[in-house]
Each structure stands twice: as structure tokens, then as C-alpha cells.
Amino acid sequence: MTLWLERHVPKLVLAPTFIAILLFVYGFIAWTGWISLTKSRLMPKYDIEGFGQYERLFAAPRWDVAMNNLYIFGALFIVISMVLGLLLAILLDQKIRTEGVLRTIYLYPMALSMIVTGTAWKWILNPGLGLEKVVQGWGFENFTFDWLVNPDYAIYTIVIAAVWQASGFVMALFLAGLRSVDTEIIKAAQVDGIPTTRIYTAIIIPSMAPIFLSAFIVLSHLAIKSFDLVIAMTNGGPGYATDLPATYMYAMAFSRGDLGQAASSAMIMMLVVFTIVVPYLYSELRTRND
């Protein structure tokens, strides 16, 4: 009996979690995929009609705007967050006296929810009460910063808030990578008279390639599923100028009553995530097997 328990208790303990994941994750993914192939509107229909919902999706101007915004937001968010995070990590790696205080300040935004971040930046960038109003109150009456309400620039305000939220997390990843580099290699390079800048660019940073890849995967995932930050700051506006795929999916499902469109957009989002995550997982598994 004891031997049987040793063999099967771990399986019994994990079984409820496994069943829950199978049902509420993979089961609903399968259900969403099925609905995306039907003519479901306000209520789901289960008769498969083909890829008509995807044809409607790719023909919708609002979806084109959402995807273009995702490319702009994702590229700027990932690049700026990684560059800023790396610079902050290198700064803290100099072992300055106030490292603990600065590290806490940089990491603090990650303790906030995206809703809080979005609401705060909505106030800051609001032309009637935020940065523009304050600067004009200082006497610069011609100063304007109306990006939040300008359809051509509103998406960049989302980038500002997202970078503020995530750069501290990226900094922590890179700082851990910098501290894991073999100090003997660095000392040998310093003895050879190699400048500090060259040490970072030629030795330290290239050795952190796996951390760069991990940061890229995390930031890409955050960019693709961004929803609450947009809702808090602009609600997808002005008009639908700041729509992202996640907000488009929400609007179709809960505002327009178009479940088929919502399901098809969700499946495209999942496909984008898979195209990023699957090669990463494949490379990781291949590295471990080698």
C-alpha cells in the first residue's frame, strides 16, 4: 500500500490541476476555434460554415488599424524597453552607493496594475489637466502636447506608458545577467587594457544572448495581449485610432455582439503568439537535448 501511494499520490494531487487546464485552457481554445468557423453573432452557432469570419476580419478596416497599431506599438515598446532596461542595468552594475534605492524606484512600476498605470498616464497626458496645462501655467502659453487626443499620435502615448511600466522589469533581467558573467574574464580584459565600453559590447552583452531572447519573448507577449492599458488611457480612441487586436476582440464580443469575429480575431492573436513562442521553445528543448 505504501509503495502504491508513493507512485500514485503525486499523480492524484496533480490530476485536478491537469483536468482544469485541459478543460478551461485547451478546451476553450478549441471552442473558440470552432466558433470562428461558424456564423455566430450575438449567440453561438455550431454549424461550421468555413472561413467566412476570417475573410470578414481581414477585410475590416478597423482590424487593419488594430494590426498596424500592434506593429507600431510592439516594435517601439520592445526596442525602447530593452534599450532603456539595458542602460539602467549597466548603470546599476557600476555598484553605485544608491543602487538599492534606484533599483526599487525602477522596479516600482511593475508593482502597479496596467489599469492604474493607464489611469495615471491619462491624467498626466490629458491636455486639460496634465503636462500641457502645467507647462502653460509656467508661462509657456504656446506649449502643446495633445498626443492623447490626436488620432495620429495617440498610439505613441500607449508606448510611453507601457515602456514606463516594463523597463524596470527588463532592467532586473539584464542586471541579473550582468551579475552572472564570469568576473575573471572581465578582470583579464581590464588587465589587457581593453576599455570598459569595449568590454561591454564585445564580451558581456554578447554573452547575455539568452537573456535578450527571454526579454524579447516576455515583451512580445505583453504587447500582443495589451488590453487594459489601452482601455484605461484611450478606450481605443480617438475613434478607433488606438485599437489593438485585444481591444478589437473585446469590442466585437461585448459591444457589437459578433462572437464569430471576436473568435476569429482571438485565433489570429494566438497564431501570432505561437509564431514567437514555439521557435523559442524548440530552440530551448534542442539546446537541452544537445
Side-chain angles (χ1 to χ4, degrees):
M1 185 65 180
T2 303
L3 183 60
W4 186 90
L5 289 174
E6 289 179 355
R7 290 181 177 178
H8 295 89
V9 164
K11 298 177 183 178
L12 294 174
V13 170
L14 293 175
T17 303
F18 176 79
I19 294 172
I21 292 174
L22 194 64
L23 176 62
F24 294 108
V25 177
Y26 297 102
F28 281 112
I29 288 175
W31 183 83
T32 302
W34 187 286
I35 293 297
S36 72
L37 299 174
T38 68
K39 290 185 177 180
S40 298
R41 299 292 291 187
L42 182 60
M43 298 298 291
K45 299 178 180 178
Y46 296 101
D47 296 329
I48 293 180
E49 300 289 343
F51 295 95
Q53 293 290 359
Y54 293 93
E55 293 174 0
R56 286 181 57 209
L57 180 69
F58 292 122
R62 185 171 179 177
W63 176 254
D64 288 339
V65 171
M67 290 302 293
N68 288 334
N69 284 341
L70 179 61
Y71 296 142
I72 295 170
F73 171 73
L76 293 176
F77 170 58
I78 293 170
V79 172
I80 297 174
S81 294
M82 292 183 71
V83 171
L84 187 58
L86 179 61
L87 293 176
L88 292 176
I90 292 174
L91 171 65
L92 293 182
D93 193 45
Q94 308 309 309
K95 298 180 175 60
I96 57 180
R97 289 185 178 180
T98 57
E99 176 185 337
V101 176
L102 291 175
R103 187 168 61 239
T104 302
I105 293 173
Y106 296 151
L107 284 172
Y108 176 73
M110 283 301 297
L112 303 176
S113 69
M114 283 291 189
I115 290 291
V116 174
T117 296
T119 303
W121 278 97
K122 181 179 180 179
W123 292 340
I124 293 170
L125 299 177
N126 189 312
L129 9 125
L131 179 65
E132 180 179 308
K133 184 72 173 178
V134 171
V135 175
Q136 289 178 351
W138 290 343
F140 302 94
E141 296 181 359
N142 295 325
F143 176 81
T144 59
F145 194 84
D146 62 347
W147 286 13
L148 190 67
V149 296
N150 189 324
D152 295 327
Y153 296 101
I155 189 64
Y156 300 106
T157 64
I158 308 296
V159 175
I160 293 171
V163 168
W164 182 83
Q165 174 98 14
S167 57
F169 169 74
V170 179
M171 178 271 298
L173 285 178
F174 287 150
L175 184 60
L178 291 172
R179 297 286 167 82
S180 66
V181 176
D182 190 353
T183 57
E184 296 300 324
I185 298 176
I186 299 174
K187 290 178 181 179
Q190 291 173 338
V191 169
D192 291 338
I194 300 176
T196 302
T197 304
R198 183 64 176 167
I199 292 174
Y200 274 99
T201 57
I203 299 175
I204 298 177
I205 293 178
S207 69
M208 294 169 55
I211 297 175
F212 276 90
L213 182 58
S214 298
F216 174 79
I217 295 296
V218 172
L219 294 175
S220 299
H221 181 258
L222 290 175
I224 293 168
K225 71 183 188 69
S226 292
F227 169 78
D228 38 7
L229 185 62
V230 179
I231 293 298
M233 289 188 68
T234 64
N235 199 27
Y240 50 83
T242 56
D243 247 359
L244 291 174
T247 58
Y248 178 90
M249 177 186 66
Y250 179 85
M252 292 298 109
F254 299 104
S255 298
R256 300 292 185 88
D258 196 340
L259 286 181
Q261 277 289 280
S264 60
S265 61
M267 296 306 293
I268 295 299
M269 287 175 59
M270 186 182 70
L271 182 62
V272 174
V273 172
F274 279 1
T275 58
I276 295 172
V277 173
V278 170
Y280 169 73
L281 294 176
Y282 175 75
S283 64
E284 285 291 309
L285 293 173
R286 188 177 64 177
T287 301
R288 291 180 183 178
N289 290 333
D290 292 342

